[in-house]
Amino acid sequence: MSTTSRAPLRERFAVVMAGGRGERFWPLSREKTPKQLLKLLGERSFLQQAVDRVLPCVPAEHVFVITNEAQAGDVRAQLPFLPSGNIVAEPMGRDTCAAVALGAALVGARSASGVMAVLPADHVIPDADAFVSVLRDAFAVAETTEAFVTIGIEPTEPATGYGYIRLGDRLEDPALGSLATGFRRAERFVEKPPYETAVEYLASGRYRWNAGMFVWTFEALARGLRAHVPAMHEACRRWTGVATDSGAFASLLARDYPAVEKISIDYALMERADNVVVADAGFAWDDVGSWSALARHLEPDADGNCAVADFVHVDSAGNLIYDARTVRTPIALVGLRDVIVVQTDDAVLVAQKHEAQKVKDLVRRLAADERLKKLV
Amino acid sequence: MSTTSRAPLRERFAVVMAGGRGERFWPLSREKTPKQLLKLLGERSFLQQAVDRVLPCVPAEHVFVITNEAQAGDVRAQLPFLPSGNIVAEPMGRDTCAAVALGAALVGARSASGVMAVLPADHVIPDADAFVSVLRDAFAVAETTEAFVTIGIEPTEPATGYGYIRLGDRLEDPALGSLATGFRRAERFVEKPPYETAVEYLASGRYRWNAGMFVWTFEALARGLRAHVPAMHEACRRWTGVATDSGAFASLLARDYPAVEKISIDYALMERADNVVVADAGFAWDDVGSWSALARHLEPDADGNCAVADFVHVDSAGNLIYDARTVRTPIALVGLRDVIVVQTDDAVLVAQKHEAQKVKDLVRRLAADERLKKLV
């Protein structure tokens, strides 16, 4: 990856997507405090870390956060240095294409020639410098070529929970010079594959994980929306007209959103476009999709137990113990392997590590129970 | 088992042994609140149930409870209908022979011709009527024959944690008549056997579990102690002289106890005596030696989960969930089998069911930790 530093050709923006529900970190994550708002690792929440990471190449006034009504207050409180109009709550969830169009409106209203990065709020990227280096190059490639740049993650396991991108030819553009290194054309997007297919993808070395990180100019995005999801383009055009006026923008969104197509940006645009380019991430990345994934980022003891708790045990190994109570009380394990124990002030979760993804099923069960839905 | 009702020949007494530490029910059991004081099943503690069970054939004034200093206050509070002098704290733990001698002194001081039952405080016997019927017959046999009667439990599994008694000939005594049915001479006592031996014992049908329930006259016991543990007999004789005066009794015990031999009644007497008779229990019995044993007495749901808690789960079966908090909070399980979860106001325990006996190792670990020993 080149680290060529050239003066930006256009104004740069970042749109951080922070609408996720994060059910999989129950009982710590709740509807109002989803994963991205939690300080699970370190002193800063995932959202704060996501915003911190872009600040070396995007000014704070150009960083937007798309969230929802329930979380907007906490998002503002966590990001006091962002202009309040930069934090926008969707009236309702309408999948990622609508959220991207909303973000594009915020960008386009400020700079029709701007270039924007769309970034998730709840991923872990320990090496922020490496990320910034890739993001800078991605901005440069997007603004030079009008391509849709996606930052692809090199698979480390045959994961079946991610979309994959098949790499095509190296990018060759005389205008890019050495910048082109580390960029390839995307041959195609693949939905979450079955396990055997994922094994093949991993072995081939020709696939990258789709981590939901995109960089494009406002103009290129608008052209793409017009070509592939025209109604969304029309909505984006209307929204752009009022997006610098918070009140008018909110009213228009409230009116338009119910009718907006519920479709992901991957389906709507990335799978259909022919100008997608993949930047090789080259940095460690984790979407920390469950409690068991969190353990990868904690320091284990000699028995492989990771504890953010007052922990004592007999013959127990490979466990994750997390106490989020205001006043911690000891958590004791006897003869257990690969179990997750999480304690909050109002609930206790005990889960088998390899079943941790089913915590979301548990949350649905709670939501359906009149007596327990207050815990969701 | 005969239910012949004949007028008691002698005054009857019961000595309930309530000095156990009950580490295996941590975090609910503590040094000051061991298993026998807990209300784990129903509204009455194991101790209260043990005393309740003997009242149909022993008057309350004749029921003694041997406990220790730390627990005496709670024992008195749980048994307000017993004369306060009937609850006696040992100055220190000195195994069961000393406690039996202490109990015998309380009996002998009131009636040298009395007959006494020695009974554990922390076992579960659901059918109290069946128990009383056996106890009545055991009293009658002991006072008629001067034998040491022990109530033996028919094994239901090849347990390696109990002592066994090998059954000998049927008891034949013209003075007993039909009472003799259900009584056999004990051929010998066997310490906790290895598993293979326990399997043989179970298959043979000739063994009973030694449940620590004994019935004998004061005179027969005194003779046995004199023959087999003379120093203990001497101590018992001294104690009997003052046992109706609580203050003098306590002073004498405090003086004598440190020098008393630390030996079980099984080693000291039962294995050496030749006049031991076994009564067939014929009632269901459980010493509930661990959290996993408790589950046997709770009603499981369709997935085999026993919950004394606000419990919710996904794909979990065969678990025991116990919430002893003042205000219960939900306990949620995901993908777990055969696990025990216990919550108190100051600790959480999660243990594999088949490792539940190791909870006592955990308690030792806590006791050795300056910061955690307050939880013991």
Side-chain angles (χ1 to χ4, degrees):
Chain A
M1 178 64 55
S2 159
T3 52
T4 308
S5 184
R6 50 166 80 182
L9 302 176
R10 316 183 184 214
E11 287 194 280
R12 292 173 173 180
F13 297 83
V15 176
V16 177
M17 311 283 264
R21 300 182 55 194
E23 297 166 326
R24 283 180 269 193
F25 280 88
W26 188 91
L28 208 51
S29 63
R30 303 290 166 97
E31 269 189 350
K32 285 194 177 178
T33 52
K35 175 182 148 199
Q36 58 269 24
L37 294 176
L38 300 178
K39 292 168 187 176
L40 287 167
L41 296 168
E43 295 298 310
R44 306 277 286 166
S45 72
F46 289 129
L47 170 64
Q48 288 172 320
Q49 292 180 39
V51 171
D52 292 348
R53 270 197 301 271
V54 301
L55 292 180
C57 55
V58 179
E61 316 83 67
H62 286 189
V63 177
F64 301 104
V65 179
I66 315 296
T67 181
N68 57 46
E69 303 283 5
Q71 300 164 21
D74 283 339
V75 170
R76 282 177 214 284
Q78 288 201 356
L79 302 169
F81 53 87
L82 293 192
S84 78
N86 285 28
I87 294 162
V88 179
E90 293 181 283
M92 65 198 65
R94 274 291 178 265
D95 215 327
T96 49
C97 187
V100 165
L102 193 168
L106 289 162
V107 171
R110 284 158 178 85
S111 170
S113 64
V115 60
M116 61 188 272
V118 172
L119 300 163
D122 59 353
H123 295 175
V124 169
I125 299 171
D127 187 346
D129 290 341
F131 168 79
V132 165
S133 168
V134 175
L135 184 62
R136 270 210 187 94
D137 288 352
F139 270 126
V141 169
E143 63 198 18
T144 306
T145 66
E146 297 284 317
F148 295 163
V149 180
T150 175
I151 301 176
I153 310 293
E154 189 166 1
T156 51
E157 53 177 330
T160 56
Y162 303 136
Y164 285 71
I165 311 165
R166 182 173 165 88
L167 298 176
D169 297 334
R170 292 195 175 282
L171 194 60
E172 281 175 30
D173 186 328
L176 291 173
S178 66
L179 245 187
T181 319
F183 286 79
R184 286 170 172 272
R185 300 208 169 276
E187 216 169 84
R188 63 187 175 95
F189 276 67
V190 190
E191 294 303 308
K192 297 174 184 177
Y195 181 75
E196 291 70 21
T197 309
V199 170
E200 285 170 30
Y201 288 177
L202 178 64
S204 76
R206 295 207 52 180
Y207 287 82
R208 294 294 178 266
W209 285 336
N210 175 6
M213 298 190 276
F214 309 111
V215 183
W216 39 48
T217 64
F218 171 73
E219 290 166 338
L221 175 64
R223 277 195 300 275
L225 293 175
R226 189 169 56 217
H228 303 292
V229 270
M232 195 70 79
H233 172 257
E234 196 50 43
C236 180
R237 202 188 50 74
R238 283 196 306 277
W239 300 344
T240 306
V242 300
T244 52
D245 176 344
S246 294
F249 191 39
S251 300
L252 188 55
L253 290 176
R255 199 195 70 187
D256 282 357
Y257 243 69
V260 153
E261 188 181 3
K262 204 169 177 178
I263 186 171
S264 75
I265 191 70
D266 302 299
Y267 276 108
L269 197 64
M270 304 310 284
E271 296 184 7
R272 297 166 179 173
D274 60 3
N275 62 331
V276 179
V277 162
V278 186
D280 238 330
F283 49 76
W285 168 93
D286 191 347
D287 76 338
V288 201
S290 67
W291 279 113
S292 54
L294 187 72
R296 291 198 291 260
H297 301 278
L298 296 169
E299 194 65 42
D301 68 12
D303 299 306
N305 295 305
C306 294
V308 180
D310 196 356
F311 173 55
V312 59
H313 77 91
V314 170
D315 293 348
S316 297
N319 303 287
L320 169 64
I321 315 300
Y322 200 104
D323 189 352
R325 291 183 71 174
T326 318
V327 178
R328 281 186 184 170
T329 49
I331 298 176
L333 260 59
V334 173
L336 281 176
R337 293 198 167 257
D338 300 330
V339 158
I340 295 159
V341 181
V342 183
Q343 181 170 226
T344 63
D345 281 319
D346 61 358
V348 171
L349 167 74
V350 187
Q352 194 67 44
K353 251 188 190 177
H354 69 265
E355 302 270 45
Q357 75 286 357
K358 287 187 184 164
V359 170
K360 66 180 192 300
D361 301 334
L362 180 78
V363 173
R364 277 168 209 160
R365 190 154 301 181
L366 294 172
D369 185 315
E370 199 52 44
R371 199 174 48 84
L372 296 172
K373 67 181 184 185
K374 64 179 188 291
L375 292 171
V376 172
Chain B
M1 179 62 55
S2 158
T3 53
T4 308
S5 184
R6 49 167 81 181
L9 301 175
R10 315 185 186 214
E11 287 193 280
R12 291 173 174 179
F13 296 83
V15 176
V16 177
M17 311 282 264
R21 302 183 53 194
E23 296 166 326
R24 282 179 271 193
F25 280 88
W26 190 90
L28 208 52
S29 63
R30 302 290 165 97
E31 268 188 351
K32 284 194 176 176
T33 52
K35 176 183 148 200
Q36 59 269 23
L37 294 176
L38 300 177
K39 292 168 187 177
L40 287 167
L41 296 168
E43 296 299 310
R44 306 277 287 165
S45 72
F46 289 131
L47 170 65
Q48 288 173 320
Q49 292 180 39
V51 171
D52 292 349
R53 269 196 303 269
V54 302
L55 292 179
C57 54
V58 179
E61 316 82 69
H62 286 191
V63 177
F64 301 104
V65 178
I66 315 295
T67 181
N68 57 45
E69 303 284 6
Q71 300 164 21
D74 284 340
V75 169
R76 283 177 213 285
Q78 287 200 358
L79 302 169
F81 53 87
L82 292 192
S84 78
N86 285 27
I87 294 162
V88 179
E90 293 181 283
M92 66 198 65
R94 273 291 177 264
D95 215 326
T96 50
C97 187
V100 166
L102 194 168
L106 290 162
V107 171
R110 284 158 178 83
S111 170
S113 64
V115 60
M116 60 188 274
V118 173
L119 300 164
D122 59 353
H123 295 175
V124 170
I125 299 171
D127 186 346
D129 291 341
F131 169 79
V132 165
S133 168
V134 175
L135 183 62
R136 270 209 187 93
D137 288 353
F139 271 125
V141 169
E143 62 198 20
T144 306
T145 66
E146 298 284 315
F148 296 162
V149 180
T150 176
I151 302 176
I153 310 292
E154 189 166 2
T156 51
E157 53 176 331
T160 56
Y162 303 136
Y164 285 70
I165 311 165
R166 182 173 165 88
L167 298 176
D169 298 333
R170 292 194 175 281
L171 194 60
E172 280 176 31
D173 186 327
L176 292 172
S178 66
L179 245 187
T181 318
F183 287 78
R184 285 171 173 272
R185 299 208 169 276
E187 217 169 82
R188 62 188 176 96
F189 275 66
V190 190
E191 294 302 308
K192 297 172 184 177
Y195 181 76
E196 291 71 21
T197 310
V199 170
E200 285 170 31
Y201 288 177
L202 178 64
S204 76
R206 294 207 52 180
Y207 288 82
R208 294 293 177 267
W209 284 335
N210 176 6
M213 297 189 278
F214 309 110
V215 183
W216 39 50
T217 64
F218 171 74
E219 291 165 339
L221 175 64
R223 278 195 300 276
L225 293 176
R226 188 169 57 216
H228 302 294
V229 271
M232 195 70 79
H233 171 256
E234 196 49 42
C236 180
R237 202 189 51 75
R238 283 196 303 276
W239 301 343
T240 307
V242 301
T244 51
D245 176 344
S246 293
F249 191 38
S251 300
L252 188 56
L253 290 176
R255 199 195 71 186
D256 282 357
Y257 244 69
V260 154
E261 187 180 5
K262 203 168 178 179
I263 186 171
S264 76
I265 191 70
D266 302 299
Y267 276 108
L269 198 64
M270 304 311 283
E271 297 185 7
R272 297 167 179 174
D274 60 2
N275 63 330
V276 179
V277 161
V278 186
D280 238 330
F283 49 75
W285 167 94
D286 191 348
D287 76 337
V288 201
S290 68
W291 279 113
S292 54
L294 187 73
R296 291 197 289 261
H297 301 278
L298 297 168
E299 194 65 41
D301 67 13
D303 298 307
N305 295 305
C306 295
V308 181
D310 196 356
F311 173 57
V312 58
H313 77 93
V314 170
D315 293 348
S316 297
N319 303 288
L320 169 64
I321 315 298
Y322 200 103
D323 189 351
R325 291 183 69 175
T326 318
V327 177
R328 281 186 184 171
T329 49
I331 297 175
L333 260 58
V334 173
L336 281 176
R337 291 197 169 257
D338 300 330
V339 159
I340 296 160
V341 181
V342 183
Q343 181 170 226
T344 63
D345 281 320
D346 61 358
V348 172
L349 168 74
V350 187
Q352 194 66 44
K353 249 188 192 176
H354 68 265
E355 302 269 46
Q357 76 286 358
K358 286 187 184 164
V359 170
K360 66 179 192 301
D361 302 333
L362 180 78
V363 173
R364 277 167 210 163
R365 189 155 299 181
L366 295 172
D369 185 314
E370 199 52 44
R371 200 174 47 84
L372 296 172
K373 67 181 184 185
K374 65 179 188 291
L375 293 172
V376 171

